[in-house]
Amino acid sequence: MLLNGKAFKFGNDINTDYIISGKYKFKTLDMKELARHVMEDLDPHFYEKISEGDMIVAGSNFGCGSSREQAPLAIIYAGVGCVLASSFARIFYRNAINTGLPVIECDTSKIEEGDLLQVNLEKGIVLNKSKNREIPITPLPQVMLKILSDGGLIKHFQKYGDFKFD
Amino acid sequence: MGKTMAEKIFSQHSGEDARAGDLVIARLDFIMGQDGTAPLAINSFNEMGGEKVFDPSRVAFVIDHSAPSPNEGVSSLHKLMREFALKQGILLYDIGHGVCHQLIPEQGHVLPGDLVIGADSHTCTYGALNVFSTGVGSTDLAAGIISGKLWFKVPETIKFLCKGVLPPGVLSKDLILYLIGDIGADGATYLAAEYCGEAISAMDVEERFTIANMAIEMGAKAGLMEFDEKVNKWVAGRAKRPLRPVFADPDAKYVEIRQYDVSQLEPQIACPHTVDNVSPVGQVEGLPIQQAVIGTCTNGRINDLKIAARILAGKKISPGVRLIVAPSSRQVFLEAMNEGIIQILVEAGAAIVTPGCGPCVGTHNGVPSDGEVVLSTANRNFKGRMGNSRASIYLASPATVAASAVAGRIADPRPFFL
Ligand code: SF4
């Protein structure tokens, strides 16, 4: 999987309430509507600024807080291609893979706002095209790659009715 | 190289030589959902094309978070769960049965060596029985109940070696609060924790649940304990399947081994608004409280109620304090009635609520008012946790909560244990 997009930078400890505020989360199950408010408290114009495939780049402990799956779903429906962070909160990480959002752990300190990035999930490389620099990532295990390429665990099950990884 | 408890359980359940960092598909022994999470999982189940639950005897839904239902919205979600349970033939513990994390072990559904998931972050509680159990989201829950399996990254393990003997009036809750304060709220993220040493061995199983319950409060994926004669006795008579306990190898690899001597430990309090904001009781002693809560999946067990009764016997709670007691299960409630504990608590002025989560998560049963101070035996004190973000929540042991309810202010319980 090769992903291309522009970097939008955020800090450490971005919790699920920053990703999608509770005041919307409980109001609707319409993910397209939720997506309009993604990251709103940190950057009120985030949704309008991004183009399909752009990337969220953050520091440590991204996605801490509640275990609700609306957080990765709102990011996906907003058109974000993947999230890069120096670390993720555990349940968010699982939920992201299961909902089909690529999550990449790497050193994000050298990436700046607006940098053009290319992520190669199989090879485990992030290419910062603006800086002409490669950042290594741990290649995603086969199981995660398969779930991601199927578009998440729900679609994986729709297709196979079970876990299937050959 | 030897293996940790987590590596052994994942090896047994995946059929592979599982090591920390490996990704495995593992077989699940038991799966639990509660009324805050199961409704979403039912949606995912349907979306995935699920028709039948893989094994109805290994899946339970518990209606405990808002039970009995406080409004129509919740009622319709409860109804959805009841209909799904009936259709699929899975276990349903309806209102009044108790909190999921008390019921599931109490009813013998989880046993030493098991791999268990629950759509609730405190599913780690069963680690006290030598079970690898962890909280998941609703898609995971749905995949689990369709296939009986789930993908896992085998975690590395951090070990907490607790030596010495806890002083009188200092309980397992004080120890886990201390450990969380020491390592921090994200100190064990991604990791499995192993809690061992003579201080843990000396505890009975009920006290151990309190520690495993709060493993998530240090970010851990699971909180495991050793299998011993006490665990063996506790599960005997409840178990409907054979036990397969695991033991960590002496040469197992740990990311860290932290050593503690508990013999000088004082009663601990977690102050607002994070669980790792912990101080010895002396530092907040004297702070007036308006509400005291004894219950939840952390400290609503029979031994907790006994400790409260010991302090409250023949006394009255301070005027201006409300004391809410939620027995953690119907069985606990009955036992407390038979032993006269409920009588003592009610005479002292306690309001008893239905076995279940009680006021823990702010849906009902005692939402505090603006500016009020609550002292609770629960596991979380986040802003707004009990339904009002302008209230302050302090966390402590049942002894500290009972002693404080009598005093009307935060009090050291140790004088009651002389
Ligand atoms: S008692 Fe509180 S922490 Fe425990 S399961 Fe219920 S809401 Fe969650």
Side-chain angles (χ1 to χ4, degrees), chain B residues 87-132:
Chain B
K87 181 160 172 233
Q88 294 287 341
I90 63 167
L91 300 152
L92 177 82
Y93 292 105
D94 214 318
I95 64 162
H97 276 86
V99 193
C100 50
H101 304 312
Q102 171 66 12
L103 278 169
I104 299 299
E106 184 186 273
Q107 298 297 318
H109 295 312
V110 292
L111 299 173
D114 277 0
L115 177 63
V116 173
I117 59 164
D120 186 278
S121 58
H122 293 101
T123 303
C124 51
T125 309
Y126 324 144
L129 298 180
N130 192 245
V131 174
F132 190 103

Side-chain angles (χ1 to χ4, degrees), chain B residues 65 99-101 120 122 296-297 357 360-361 379 385:
Chain B
H65 276 57
V99 193
C100 50
H101 304 312
D120 186 278
H122 293 101
T296 80
C297 58
C357 296
C360 180
V361 71
N379 47 35
R385 170 75 182 182

Side-chain angles (χ1 to χ4, degrees), chain B residues 176-192:
Chain B
I176 186 63
L177 285 176
Y178 181 80
L179 297 180
I180 293 163
D182 187 52
I183 195 169
D186 61 354
T189 303
Y190 292 144
L191 305 175

Side-chain angles (χ1 to χ4, degrees), chain B residues 54-69:
Chain B
F54 82 106
D55 178 351
S57 72
R58 289 177 187 266
V59 180
F61 283 174
V62 182
I63 299 181
D64 58 354
H65 276 57
S66 313
S69 166

Side-chain angles (χ1 to χ4, degrees), chain A residues 91-147:
Chain A
I91 298 184
F92 177 86
Y93 190 82
R94 283 197 75 88
N95 289 345
I97 302 283
N98 284 340
T99 49
L101 173 68
V103 272
I104 292 132
E105 239 177 31
C106 65
D107 176 7
T108 52
S109 61
K110 304 267 156 49
I111 303 174
E112 284 176 36
E113 178 89 8
D115 283 355
L116 292 173
L117 308 175
Q118 181 176 73
V119 178
N120 185 325
L121 287 176
E122 283 87 355
K123 285 213 183 115
I125 291 172
V126 176
L127 174 63
N128 188 335
K129 295 203 265 188
S130 305
K131 301 254 170 357
N132 204 3
R133 187 189 285 142
E134 284 189 352
I135 305 166
I137 55 175
T138 326
L140 286 186
Q142 214 38 52
V143 172
M144 286 191 200
L145 277 176
K146 176 71 178 146
I147 296 173

